[in-house]
Amino acid sequence: MTSRHPGVRALPALLLVTACTTGPSLENQGDVTAPPGDSKHLTIGSAGFTESDLLAQMYALLLEQAGYSTRILSVTNREIYEPALESGQIDVVPEYAATFADWLKTKADGADADPVGSPDLDTTVKALRALAAPRGLTVLPPGRAVDQNAFAVAAAYAAKHRLETLSDLGRSGLPVRLAAGDECVKRPYCEPGLKKVYGIDITVVDPRGVGTTQAKQAVQNGQDQMVLTTTTDATLDDFGLVLLADDRHLQNADYLVPVVNRARAGSSGVRDALGKLNTVLTTADLARMNEQVDSWRRLPEDVARTYLENKGLVAKG
């Protein structure tokens, strides 16, 4: 769901070259306990897909409302934008708490490092902050919106079997063909977790991808009974699908969280400006905005501005 549009600049060649390395060494980053900086000219990174573009646009508008000037750089690869965030070429990025914590853990300790993300938000953010701080990064307070793995079934199927939660599906004893990515058979949040935590009888993992049109169509037509998607999937209604609640918290706490370069954007001014989004933005709000961009073909900057204006967070222009 990559979205390129006017107002989001491509990454300059210098950033591409410098960020393709492992980033600044921890020894050369200076004293991370130094007072946080407050640059008035901030660069916001977007990961280049719809949701990240929307968040970057909202960050920019909120920061501009607070007196900062901003520009947005679209960077499609965390291996590039995270070192750029460390070095101060990017000042702010929207991230996902558990995913980013695990990514930093792997960067620090290697591919075999044990994950530190968990279903508990406080535990996850604590681990994330401990990993981010030595790299000169500050993790701001997370919001209410969460984009995590989720499982959907046909609405008619849910009604017929009285299913509202994954626990309901486990208790039903129904055999389930699951449309998902091929890695689902090994990932603890997917087939193994569904069996262990919920007792769901997964008979086959149908490798159609995560939340793809093909996967959702397979559930819509009854070939499969459930699909792995995300909580901000904006197209479920189009396929007649509904999410089953993860009532035993199998999925990690991938709440949206701003991450900033402390030396340039660690001030209370940045924190307060971006914190305003935490008071209003919900998972459902984000799904609706994703839909406006992906299905209605509206520009992310227009959707972001309309949302913030309607919430009274930025002045109507």
Side-chain angles (χ1 to χ4, degrees), residues 77-94:
N77 190 312
R78 187 177 277 116
E79 283 77 7
I80 294 176
Y81 73 67
E82 189 279 332
L85 183 64
E86 289 186 29
S87 69
Q89 292 173 296
I90 292 175
D91 302 306
V92 186
V93 294

Side-chain angles (χ1 to χ4, degrees), residues 150-167:
F151 296 90
V153 299
Y157 179 85
K160 178 180 179 181
H161 299 289
R162 299 183 179 181
L163 306 177
E164 295 183 355
T165 67
L166 290 170
S167 288

